[in-house]
Amino acid sequence: MRRADNAESVTAHFRLLQRLALGAFILLVLTVAYGMWHALEAGLEFETDLQALLPQADDSQLAQRAGQRLFDYGGDKIVLVIASPGRENALAAADLATRLLRDSPLLQTENIAARSEQAMEAMERLVPHRFHLLSERQRQALDSGGASSLAQQALRDLYTPRGWGRSVSLQQDPLNLLQEYLSTLQTGPQHAELAGEHLLLRSVERPEWSYVMLAARSRNSALDLDAQQAVVEAVDALEQSLQGEYRDIQLLRSGIVFHAAAAARQARSEIAIIGSGSAIGIILLFLATFASLRPLLLSLASVLFGSLCALTLCHYLFGSIHLLTLVFGASLIGVAIDYSLHYFTRVHGAGNRDTGLVSLRAIFPGILLGLVTSVIGYGSLAQASLPGLRQVATFSVAGLASAWLFVVAVYPLTAVPAPRTYPGPLLRLADAPWRLWHKLSGAHVIAVLAILGVTSLAACWWGLRTADDVRSLYKPSAQLIEQERQIQALAGNFSANQFFLVSAVDEETLLQREEQLQHLLSQLQARGVIEQWNGTSRYLPSTARQQRDYQRLQGVYGERGVAWPLMAELGVDKADQRGLRQAYIDSEEQYLLPRDWLRGAPEELKMLWLGEHSGHYADMVTLAGVQDLAELEAAAAQIEGVEFVDRVARISRLLAAQRHSASTLLAVAYASVMGLLLLRYRRPRAMLLVLAPLLSTAISLGILALAAVPLSIFHIFALFLVLGLGMDYSIFARESGDSDCRLAIMLSALTSGLSFGLLALSSTPMVQAFGLAVLLGSLFNLLLVPLVTKLDEGPAP
Amino acid sequence: MGRLTAAVTLFLALLTSAAHAQTDSGQIIKRLQQHSLVAGRFTQTRELHGLSRPITSSGKFIFWRHHGLYWETLSPFYQATTFTDDELISWLSPRGPAAKAAPDDRVQRHVSRILLALFAADMSTIDKLFDSRWTVDEAGWSLELTPANAAVGKVIDRAWLRGEQQLRQLRIATRNGDVSTIRFEDVMAPAALEPSRCARFNRQATLRCPDPVAADQ
């Protein structure tokens, strides 16, 4: 292939092409510089929330709004619980913590005492509506003619300290009915005590311990990376000062920020490990091969340029860039460096006396075809609806293409070094895959390929399982999970992942439907399927129910109602009795309506009401301590307009759907690449080149099956990369199977193996899955390429 | 110069009297906290807002430190209640079983806790809820409590306690305008608790009832 006499053979055509590439490169540099300058001026936005990588969970707009509402309400919220075996110790530590938090520029403390006061005020606003509000027990008592027993109880309570807590006067509510109704509205921790301004909790697990709950919000955006880190550090520092000051203090934490910060910290340290790991490996390889720093510096420049372009484009397109995109982006080094390797192994090659341009000309068809197949491979990822992988696809395609352009535009301008003889061990290593299959004849090759294929498929069929549960993709630290579990057990927080959505065309129907749901939920609560539930209809009964309760109260406030003899017996003024009677009559139509309720409702209750949207009213019913999802699904199915939203399950279902569609896209990608090969080589047999990535994909899957690693969507996406890499190797082997080329392939396999091998060590399951699959795939690519090229009538090895 | 001496003297006098009050209230608290079991009779008078005549009841009480307060109204009718940190148990007859549990009511529980803290002279709890003012003189002592935070202020306006060796009177003005006064008589510190009384604290039969031997320490 190589021509000794070179100057003439470089066509004017290619020179022109290279000049065009240079022009495009300069234009790109200017654009990226401008874009970067612009982005830096506004501030680069880095995202760390893993949820942002996942698809928007819900197909229904309503559920999305509800999810957003819950995130807005709870996204920047953190709950801290100070735990100690001594009550006084815990309270003293809580005093210090409150003081320290109040001075913190990062966190805004929520005064829990003030919040419970606000809730009490909201309840007080219900006093004028007391003729329309009853507890379930009172309802049953009145329906079964028990009005006089209620009056008896009220009378007895007056004689004991039990009656001290009444909030409405005897003249307004002689039977003290409202108090019981209000007590049924209380949610939250069961064993709570307000000690000063602190909320003191007790746990069933450790009854001798005292827990003080503190709530705070981040003053900065919940998505601000540095703010998240700062909040976590502030909380760690708080724990240290508490433990320094008091004995036996534990600080439990709960909040999205802790997850996001932990994920970010992990991603950051992994970037550092993967980045430095592959950098060290690559530096050593280059020095051993070229004994010069220049190829290394140029290669790094090409990769850096590609990354910069990718970063600028992604930031421009998506408004921010996710740290995990950068993690995957770091792995690009292994692929974009292929082009440099092919150029330098040729330019530095022992017998080379060509100019840079001629050398580039020689490898150009290979690297162009390599780029196109990779772009097709990665580009298919862009069709995925997982936003995170679209970002990765964009990043990798843009990065690869820019790095490629850098090679084509800049390398021929650099000086050509003196020819060099590569170290023997390296050449032998590069030759090893070829020597491995050297003796096989064509028929044997087919037999080996067939055996490998069939065995792998059998292994897949026998043991390949899938895992789409989103929880298997993100593993928070055990410590964080345990702390959150304890806080959940203590405080019974409502879940943001599972809730009911109730909707109807008007408010009244909505509330009536929610009341039907209430009925089912009380039964589920009694059976321990859920611990608590909360919804607007708890505080705001439907008008129909208010009407019925008003009628029930005829037995109390009607002409022969039990209130009058009771009041007479106690010696209440006749005028007061008449006043109460009149108030009852006058209020008949004064129903508590949504707008009245919303005016004074505390924030955490107001949030539940989603209000009107395109002719539909909706409300959320939140749940705490969910034990059985199927029962809740079943409950929702019984009532019209009620939907059970399980965001975790939805995301998992979506991931499964994505895995299916990605598998299909992978087949499409293979078909496109085969078409491309046919176009390029104009021989059907050339299409067999896809056998290298195809078979290594099958073998990798077989190994995953045998190792009982369940297949997730991230393995599938990795297989796209296996396609890209495998095609690169096959095409170069096909274009020029000489020893320089083999060396380049080996170097490429080593560099990409290095970076992906490190990804497989990641503790983020999705990154690990990706890395493992690529590592296996590229290993088998390397081993199979010589075998597959034998099938085609390429140049003899 | 004379003025300065007078000021210093006055200041010292104030200082010593404050210290005096401090030690006095400290002693009173100690005395009140001395016994783990206190029993006696009570008369409760409630002046309810808007009622022309007060409601009076009387009966017996037993306070058992760390376990609760048993309040047995005997007149004008029988009704007994055990107040503990976590629950309120009603008894409808002197020997019968507990009545059906009342629905969980946080306001009521709050009131129970305050009541228990007052009986226990548990100042660390009281000081978190109230600003306290002690008056000590020859006749005895009194303590006036005003709510220190809004949540308590929502229920209680003010409370007064009076006593000598023992607590003699407890008076609570609640926010709704009611004033309840409880007078205590024949207050003693028994060493043991009858099994039938003990059972009233001991619904799950998990406690060890104080017997004369164990209490004799």
Side-chain angles (χ1 to χ4, degrees):
Chain A
M1 274 277 275
R2 191 176 294 176
R3 292 162 212 182
D5 184 18
N6 46 54
E8 287 86 354
S9 67
V10 178
T11 56
H13 187 72
F14 186 70
R15 196 184 294 276
L16 182 66
L17 192 72
Q18 200 273 334
R19 293 249 162 90
L20 279 176
L22 187 60
F25 172 74
I26 291 167
L27 211 62
L28 184 62
V29 169
L30 293 176
T31 317
V32 165
Y34 173 76
M36 208 49 191
W37 173 70
H38 223 67
L40 283 175
E41 203 168 48
L44 278 180
E45 292 277 336
F46 288 98
E47 183 141 26
T48 55
D49 185 5
L50 282 175
Q51 301 245 354
L53 283 178
L54 299 172
Q56 280 302 315
D58 313 290
D59 23 12
S60 105
Q61 234 187 355
L62 187 61
Q64 246 181 60
R65 268 200 307 145
Q68 188 59 42
R69 185 70 76 87
L70 286 166
F71 180 77
D72 288 344
Y73 180 72
D76 57 351
K77 203 172 155 180
I78 65 170
V79 173
L80 301 176
V81 171
I82 293 168
S84 170
R87 179 191 151 99
E88 294 311 314
N89 201 40
L91 284 171
D95 276 335
L96 177 61
T98 310
R99 230 174 22 249
L100 292 174
L101 285 174
R102 210 169 274 154
D103 294 339
S104 159
L106 297 165
L107 291 166
Q108 185 156 27
T109 46
E110 273 184 18
N111 188 337
I112 289 184
R115 236 175 60 193
S116 70
E117 198 186 317
Q118 194 196 6
M120 275 168 105
E121 272 165 17
M123 302 300 153
E124 272 168 20
R125 282 200 197 85
L126 297 178
V127 173
H129 298 281
R130 65 190 181 283
F131 301 117
H132 293 98
L133 305 172
L134 285 175
S135 79
E136 192 53 45
R137 197 186 72 101
Q138 291 166 341
R139 217 167 268 143
Q140 282 169 12
L142 290 171
D143 285 349
S144 55
S148 54
S149 79
L150 288 178
Q152 273 305 311
Q153 182 59 48
L155 184 65
R156 280 169 178 274
D157 283 350
L158 283 175
Y159 284 92
T160 68
R162 294 191 59 151
W164 290 2
R166 72 182 299 149
S167 41
V168 187
S169 77
L170 191 70
Q171 293 94 314
Q172 284 181 298
D173 185 6
L175 273 65
N176 203 18
L177 295 172
L178 188 66
Q179 181 154 348
E180 182 175 312
Y181 173 75
L182 294 181
S183 75
T184 62
L185 303 187
Q186 295 160 349
T187 59
Q190 283 300 307
H191 300 284
E193 174 192 342
L194 206 55
E197 58 175 357
H198 298 306
L199 193 66
L200 199 65
L201 306 169
R202 281 196 296 140
S203 121
V204 186
E205 290 168 36
R206 291 193 292 187
E208 69 284 4
W209 278 59
S210 292
Y211 300 84
V212 182
M213 190 168 114
L214 306 173
R217 280 176 189 279
S218 172
R219 287 187 200 267
N220 301 84
S221 152
L223 296 173
D224 183 337
L225 185 65
D226 292 326
Q228 284 173 352
Q229 204 58 46
V231 164
V232 171
E233 279 163 16
V235 171
D236 288 344
L238 176 69
E239 184 177 32
Q240 283 189 353
S241 16
L242 293 181
Q243 286 173 340
E245 200 78 22
Y246 300 95
R247 303 165 284 109
D248 298 331
I249 292 285
Q250 285 177 14
L251 188 67
L252 310 177
R253 311 151 165 81
S254 157
I256 292 177
V257 62
F258 297 107
H259 289 274
R265 203 158 29 192
Q266 201 174 66
R268 273 180 171 172
S269 74
E270 278 175 13
I271 286 177
I273 291 171
I274 290 164
S276 55
S278 54
I280 290 169
I282 289 163
I283 288 170
L284 290 177
L285 266 179
F286 269 73
L287 285 179
T289 312
F290 303 113
S292 153
L293 273 177
R294 211 167 47 140
L296 175 66
L297 292 178
L298 277 169
S299 304
L300 284 183
S302 79
V303 169
L304 211 64
F305 176 71
S307 304
L308 201 66
C309 294
L311 179 67
T312 311
L313 182 69
C314 278
H315 198 272
Y316 173 73
L317 287 179
F318 299 98
S320 70
I321 190 148
H322 201 287
L323 267 187
L324 272 178
T325 306
L326 288 180
V327 172
F328 284 115
S331 68
L332 267 174
I333 292 173
V335 183
I337 220 158
D338 278 12
Y339 313 133
S340 306
L341 286 170
H342 281 288
Y343 179 83
F344 289 119
T345 49
R346 175 159 294 271
V347 165
H348 283 251
N352 187 38
R353 267 167 285 283
D354 293 341
T355 61
L357 192 64
V358 176
S359 302
L360 180 66
R361 172 77 183 86
I363 62 158
F364 188 77
I367 65 170
L368 178 62
L369 197 58
L371 174 73
V372 174
T373 50
S374 296
V375 165
I376 286 176
Y378 300 162
S380 309
L381 286 180
Q383 295 171 47
S385 58
L386 275 178
L389 280 144
R390 271 208 307 272
Q391 218 182 71
V392 170
T394 313
F395 193 97
S396 55
V397 166
L400 267 183
S402 322
W404 183 89
L405 190 63
F406 188 96
V407 171
V408 172
V410 176
Y411 284 13
L413 306 180
T414 61
V416 175
R420 161 180 160 77
T421 310
Y422 296 119
L426 260 180
L427 289 174
R428 276 196 295 282
L429 186 67
D431 258 344
W434 269 266
R435 278 204 310 277
L436 190 65
W437 309 111
H438 185 64
K439 294 207 172 73
L440 287 186
S441 69
H444 288 136
V445 169
I446 291 169
V448 169
L449 291 178
I451 289 169
L452 281 174
V454 168
T455 323
S456 309
L457 288 178
C460 292
W461 181 79
W462 173 75
L464 199 61
R465 289 174 305 113
T466 56
D468 301 306
D469 190 339
V470 65
R471 279 164 296 197
S472 70
L473 298 177
Y474 167 60
K475 291 225 168 64
S477 80
Q479 196 193 4
L480 193 55
I481 293 220
E482 170 57 19
Q483 294 191 357
E484 289 200 324
R485 189 197 62 75
Q486 285 190 38
I487 290 180
Q488 174 63 35
L490 282 166
N493 292 322
F494 289 97
S495 160
N497 285 328
Q498 282 115 12
F499 51 87
F500 286 100
L501 274 177
V502 187
S503 59
V505 289
D506 59 65
E507 296 171 324
E508 174 63 12
T509 318
L510 169 62
L511 290 170
Q512 286 183 20
R513 283 179 180 170
E514 203 175 302
E515 278 161 6
Q516 285 176 273
L517 180 63
Q518 254 185 42
H519 185 67
L520 296 179
L521 288 177
S522 314
Q523 292 170 358
L524 293 177
Q525 197 175 12
R527 288 184 14 229
V529 175
I530 53 169
E531 264 166 31
Q532 290 195 44
W533 61 271
N534 213 1
T536 305
S537 67
R538 240 186 122 127
Y539 310 91
L540 170 68
S542 66
T543 303
R545 176 172 278 189
Q546 291 185 49
Q547 231 160 15
R548 286 195 301 273
D549 285 350
Y550 182 88
Q551 287 311 318
R552 285 189 175 98
L553 282 170
Q554 284 289 347
V556 177
Y557 302 114
E559 206 155 349
R560 289 158 195 278
V562 295
W564 320 125
L566 175 71
M567 288 172 96
E569 189 184 339
L570 289 168
V572 177
D573 237 38
K574 279 273 178 235
D576 282 343
Q577 295 187 35
R578 276 196 301 276
L580 182 62
R581 171 97 178 102
Q582 198 55 47
Y584 174 71
I585 292 167
D586 290 346
S587 73
E588 181 164 7
E589 304 273 290
Q590 285 168 19
Y591 302 114
L592 178 64
L593 295 175
R595 56 168 189 276
D596 306 324
W597 163 248
L598 292 172
R599 205 174 297 134
E603 217 45 54
E604 70 259 35
L605 299 180
K606 213 185 273 183
M607 162 200 88
L608 300 173
W609 187 259
L610 293 167
E612 195 255 10
H613 193 75
S614 55
H616 276 264
Y617 289 84
D619 190 45
M620 274 187 271
V621 173
T622 50
L623 303 163
V626 174
Q627 299 296 331
D628 188 343
L629 296 168
E631 294 243 32
L632 298 172
E633 295 266 12
Q638 287 180 43
I639 306 162
E640 203 196 331
V642 176
E643 183 190 359
F644 178 63
V645 179
D646 179 357
R647 303 173 82 210
V648 176
R650 275 184 195 228
I651 292 178
S652 300
R653 274 202 296 275
L654 255 154
L655 283 177
Q658 295 291 312
R659 189 172 45 73
H660 281 293
S661 84
S663 309
T664 317
L665 286 177
L666 187 61
V668 171
Y670 270 100
S672 325
V673 168
M674 283 165 79
L676 192 74
L677 291 172
L678 189 62
L679 273 179
R680 166 72 179 86
Y681 296 108
R682 302 187 184 281
R683 285 185 312 121
R685 284 189 79 164
M687 293 197 292
L688 291 175
L689 285 177
V690 296
L691 273 179
L694 193 62
L695 262 181
S696 60
T697 294
I699 298 171
S700 305
L701 287 177
I703 288 176
L704 290 178
L706 290 176
V709 176
L711 200 63
S712 79
I713 185 171
F714 297 95
H715 292 106
I716 304 289
F717 282 121
L719 296 177
F720 279 86
L721 207 52
V722 171
L723 166 63
L725 288 168
M727 285 319 298
D728 261 10
Y729 302 165
S730 308
I731 287 163
F732 281 112
R734 169 71 173 72
E735 287 287 317
S736 75
D738 62 15
S739 68
D740 289 351
C741 171
R742 289 179 192 178
L743 181 62
I745 289 175
M746 172 57 75
L747 290 175
S748 149
L750 282 178
T751 50
S752 54
L754 257 171
S755 38
F756 292 122
L758 283 167
L759 278 184
L761 293 176
S762 165
S763 52
T764 306
M766 52 176 124
V767 181
Q768 189 202 24
F770 191 85
L772 185 63
V774 177
L775 184 65
L776 287 174
S778 49
L779 177 69
F780 292 110
N781 270 337
L782 185 65
L783 291 176
L784 289 173
V785 159
L787 205 55
V788 169
T789 43
K790 275 194 172 196
L791 286 179
D792 193 21
E793 298 167 353
Chain B
M1 189 69 182
R3 247 162 130 195
L4 183 63
T5 318
V8 169
T9 318
L10 184 66
F11 180 68
L12 282 174
L14 280 174
L15 213 66
T16 40
S17 77
H20 187 64
Q22 189 64 45
T23 46
D24 279 353
S25 66
Q27 275 167 6
I28 293 160
I29 294 163
K30 241 189 194 154
R31 205 185 303 143
L32 291 172
Q33 289 177 338
Q34 194 179 356
H35 305 289
S36 83
L37 211 53
V38 178
R41 292 191 298 116
F42 71 82
T43 311
Q44 177 187 269
T45 310
R46 299 188 67 190
E47 297 155 57
L48 298 180
H49 176 72
L51 286 200
S52 43
R53 54 189 151 84
I55 297 176
T56 306
S57 60
S58 60
K60 294 178 183 171
F61 77 93
I62 301 167
F63 173 70
W64 185 9
R65 194 171 294 276
H66 305 310
H67 297 298
L69 172 68
Y70 175 62
W71 198 262
E72 192 178 58
T73 307
L74 298 169
S75 156
F77 46 73
Y78 185 88
Q79 161 140 13
T81 306
T82 310
F83 298 86
T84 74
D85 265 346
D86 293 323
E87 54 180 351
L88 221 89
I89 315 162
S90 292
W91 315 87
L92 297 174
S93 67
R95 305 264 156 201
K100 223 174 81 184
D104 190 60
D105 180 351
R106 255 166 253 204
V107 178
Q108 183 60 59
R109 200 152 53 191
H110 206 57
V111 172
S112 304
R113 283 217 177 91
I114 293 172
L115 195 64
L116 288 170
L118 293 179
F119 270 87
D122 173 4
M123 292 312 290
S124 68
T125 299
I126 293 173
D127 284 340
K128 283 197 184 70
L129 304 171
F130 299 99
D131 294 323
S132 56
R133 205 161 59 102
W134 287 91
T135 320
V136 185
D137 55 33
E138 303 302 310
W141 55 268
S142 68
L143 170 63
E144 184 180 343
L145 301 172
T146 31
N149 67 49
V152 178
K154 286 248 173 262
V155 186
I156 292 175
D157 251 356
R158 196 160 293 204
W160 299 266
L161 286 87
R162 213 155 53 71
E164 301 105 39
Q165 293 298 310
Q166 297 290 353
L167 182 64
R168 281 288 163 229
Q169 184 181 298
L170 168 61
R171 200 172 147 86
I172 293 185
T174 45
R175 198 56 196 267
N176 52 23
D178 302 346
V179 180
S180 307
T181 310
I182 305 171
R183 274 181 211 80
F184 301 98
E185 285 153 57
D186 302 338
V187 180
M188 296 171 308
L193 202 55
E194 269 178 65
S196 70
R197 302 293 87 177
C198 183
R200 298 259 136 146
F201 291 92
N202 203 5
R203 211 148 50 114
Q204 271 105 35
T206 48
L207 296 179
R208 266 191 55 195
C209 294
D211 55 59
V213 185
D216 224 19
Q217 21 162 344

